[in-house]
Amino acid sequence: MKKIILIISLVLFNLNKANTVRDSVYITPESYSRISFYDDCDACGCAAGNGSSGFESLLNPQFIGVKYFAQHYKAKENLFVKDLTQDQYFNTLQIWGKIPVTEKLSVYASLPFHFHEKKTTQGDIRINGIGDLNLMGIYRLVKSGDNFHQLSGGLGVKVPLGKFDEKGISGVNPSFQLGTGSWDYQAALNYKFQKNKIAVLINTDYTIKTENKKHYRFGNQWNYAATGFYQLSGNEKTIFSAKTGLQGEVYAQNKQFGEGLPNTAGSALYGKLGFEASYKRFSLGSEVMLPVYTHLAGGDIEAKSRFSVFLNIGI
């Protein structure tokens, strides 16, 4: 299945039957080319906990919406077990919005609510609560006269509203948290090519993590994604589109009291398939991600799957 996802993604990408990476809103033929970006980085910033889906297609200049994002991982039960037997589930329900300030500048914000679970031999462990607030300013740097090409950049901050539990960092996955407990800073870059029903979006973003009050620092994170979008049908009121692509994540080593911690760095690459549909001001979409490559926490954690669904409304 992993190879199939990769092959499909590469083939469609090379055929340029593609568009953007983001959860979209009301799409009309006029607004079809106005593609913005940025998807929030989930609260937990180390391997297997971030939950970032990179950039998603956001085809409406202003919106408010809700998104559900689920992740499944396998982890070692403890240091004395070789097999990955522990199931870990990260679930996020997120409120987000994007508001234009000027023609070129807009502000993005998202506030997540997490409900996570991991199954251990001693019983299930669950945590839930508000996550960290994400704020970002997005500025359009370049736009070609024919509207085929667009380059945008963004700078943002993550406000530590989510609870950080110091006891949680002693487990196999220290990112089993509601928040990092730290102020983190983000930079993003997005390139979009769009012509008629076809578009390609290439994104990259980098998050700098800082040390929290417990002297723990999650590793910096680099995300990158290439997503294709093809409009299958549409008219003045309704549009239905398919999307596919690849997304990668790289996590640096966590630190405590300035010392690097073993088995906390890692990387993963996912293939993704999804759809987006809009009716007037409403937009619905979903996406499934399966790992093509996964080596998280020094191999102690394996990514299994991701799933997201969203509902947005133009404002």
Side-chain angles (χ1 to χ4, degrees), residues 99-140:
I99 301 174
V101 179
T102 67
E103 182 182 356
K104 294 184 177 181
L105 178 66
S106 58
V107 175
Y108 167 86
S110 67
L111 182 63
F113 183 88
H114 302 296
F115 42 107
H116 304 330
E117 177 184 9
K118 61 181 178 181
K119 299 182 178 296
T120 73
T121 55
Q122 290 78 32
D124 297 349
I125 298 176
R126 298 181 178 88
I127 58 174
N128 61 80
I130 193 172
D132 294 337
L133 172 67
N134 283 267
L135 298 171
M136 173 167 277
I138 302 169
Y139 188 79
R140 191 182 71 210

Side-chain angles (χ1 to χ4, degrees), residues 215-270:
H215 305 287
Y216 195 90
R217 177 178 176 178
F218 289 99
N220 292 347
Q221 177 187 342
W222 174 44
N223 296 327
Y224 57 93
T227 304
F229 180 101
Y230 183 71
Q231 181 182 319
L232 298 175
S233 63
N235 53 45
E236 293 183 357
K237 294 183 178 180
T238 305
I239 285 181
F240 183 84
S241 305
K243 62 179 179 178
T244 185
L246 295 171
Q247 176 180 312
E249 299 169 0
V250 180
Y251 305 91
Q253 192 178 48
N254 297 354
K255 294 183 178 181
Q256 190 170 26
F257 294 100
E259 297 293 330
L261 300 175
N263 295 334
T264 54
S267 60
L269 178 66
Y270 297 85

Side-chain angles (χ1 to χ4, degrees), residues 42-52 71-75 88 90 116 168-169 171-177 180 209 216-223 249-255 261-268 270 293-304 306:
D42 208 329
C44 306
C46 54
N50 178 269
S52 169
Q71 306 172 79
H72 177 206
Y73 297 91
K74 281 279 190 180
Q88 297 186 351
F90 291 77
H116 304 330
I169 62 177
V172 175
N173 187 357
S175 62
F176 190 77
Q177 303 277 351
T180 61
K209 313 292 175 60
Y216 195 90
R217 177 178 176 178
F218 289 99
N220 292 347
Q221 177 187 342
W222 174 44
N223 296 327
E249 299 169 0
V250 180
Y251 305 91
Q253 192 178 48
N254 297 354
K255 294 183 178 181
L261 300 175
N263 295 334
T264 54
S267 60
Y270 297 85
Y293 167 82
T294 171
H295 187 77
L296 300 170
D300 289 346
I301 299 173
E302 178 184 356
K304 301 301 291 184
R306 290 180 176 180

